[in-house]
Amino acid sequence: MPSPARNPLRRSTLLALCACVLVAQSMVAAVNLLIPQLSSSSVHPSHVELLWTVDAYVIVFAGLLIPSGALGDRYGRKGALLAGLGLLAAGAAVSALAGTPAWLIAGRGVSGAGAALVMPATMSILTHLAPPEHRPRALASWTLAVGLGGLAGNVGGGLIGAYLPWQALFWTMLPLAALLALAVGRTTPRTAKTPDAGPAGRPSLDPLGTLLLTGGLVAVLFGIIESPLYGWTSPRILLAVALGTALLAAFTAHALRSRTPLFDPRVFRSARLRASSLGTAASFFGLFSLFYVNSQYLQYVKGYDAAQAGFAIVPLTLGMALVPRIAARWSARPAPVAGGGLLLIGLGLLGVSTADAGTPYPVYACWLLLISTGTGLCMPALTLGVVSSLPRHQAGLGSGLGTSTREMGAALGVAVTGTLLAGHTDFADGMAAALRTVGMAVIAAAALTALGLRKPRPQNEPARTPTTGAESA
């Protein structure tokens, strides 16, 4: 039995942290189901303003994840988490009170900044509190919360869209954030700085590097997200992607010269990190491609209302809820577990691509269950692969890197699917073409991920790193 000084992760702490993750992730998808209400509301957003209402959260969220993780590592993970919950609530209040599209979009951006603090802080706290032998299971619970957050957003947004004013989504966030902050305050201890992280090893905020990296990610995300609207070859999109690429290249050059960079780009020499990042991006590439077409297929092709469409995706919870705990037992064999899970996601997407107006819902649900099983199988191994590739004292930064990869994959999935849909006059034909393309890409990524994860486990893998009392305090 571990000694009290090690302060092992308690169930109440795990539940509180996973609840924070679920709520932050749910706000990515929930607004999608309120678009019809927002279009006819007194706010009168234009088509472009509607897109920004959805995208502002994602762009700010993904753009700030890595520096937010470093901020928590340096100044306190619990404090960063509580500040993130406060920003989530403040942004939601601004959106709920918005009388113009600008205020609605601004509120979404503030909430996105809050989510960027919440996600890396929660994983970093879990990584520090969980004993090495229990860390894979703790991270499996975290990844389950991420997956369930997408589902909760769809179900919650669908219910509010069907029965309540759109403002109810944002007002709900205020008591939720308050309850979560209370739960975190009562159950979650503060994590001390790692003893062996001296001045050169302490997480650095690196203001110039932070500016370059955040600007580069935001510009690339803008180009990806806006590409279905303007076209991949439009000057606006080409300029955004070129600017983002230049800023990311400048960040890399700066980080390689700096004595205290935000993070060292040389970590990507690790085949394990490259493979885990590719697999993480590919899984969310597939999932968000599905999320993008799912509600439209069920409402426009099958004739479901918003609430029915939200509940119809519930089969995605089964594999995500049951499989991660089992997959965590196989954490020592990440290549077949992650590669096999991605393969199931790809095959499930190919199955969904065959759906049309005459497809019975039970058949559609079986394909969702296959995708869910694949997600639950691969995500714990991929999450552990990303986090374990950085030192323990940079766990928050590693979490930010992994979550940023997820959001980039998600944005690319929506953009590619939206572009392919726009090229077809019939929605069912466009959905089939899009999901076939995405499914084949995920299958290819499964093979590459499995090959990369066959490399030896790095020495700083959490499962092999002893935990000291100071690290878990």
Side-chain angles (χ1 to χ4, degrees), residues 205-215 247 250-251 254-255 257-258 262:
L205 294 186
D206 184 14
L208 177 58
T210 298
L211 183 63
L212 291 171
L213 179 63
T214 302
L247 289 172
F251 165 78
H254 164 76
R257 293 194 306 267
S258 174
L262 183 64

Side-chain angles (χ1 to χ4, degrees), residues 183-273:
V184 168
R186 296 186 62 126
T187 66
T188 305
R190 296 186 181 275
T191 54
K193 295 179 178 65
T194 307
D196 60 355
R202 290 181 67 190
S204 170
L205 294 186
D206 184 14
L208 177 58
T210 298
L211 183 63
L212 291 171
L213 179 63
T214 302
L217 289 174
V218 167
V220 170
L221 275 169
F222 172 85
I224 291 173
I225 289 172
E226 297 289 297
S227 58
L229 181 63
Y230 297 102
W232 286 94
T233 58
S234 71
R236 180 191 299 246
I237 301 305
L238 292 175
L239 178 61
V241 173
L243 175 62
T245 303
L247 289 172
L248 293 176
F251 165 78
T252 302
H254 164 76
L256 290 174
R257 293 194 306 267
S258 174
R259 295 182 60 187
T260 55
L262 183 64
F263 78 93
D264 189 344
R266 284 179 286 252
V267 297
F268 282 102
R269 290 175 179 173
S270 164
R272 184 180 180 85
L273 177 59

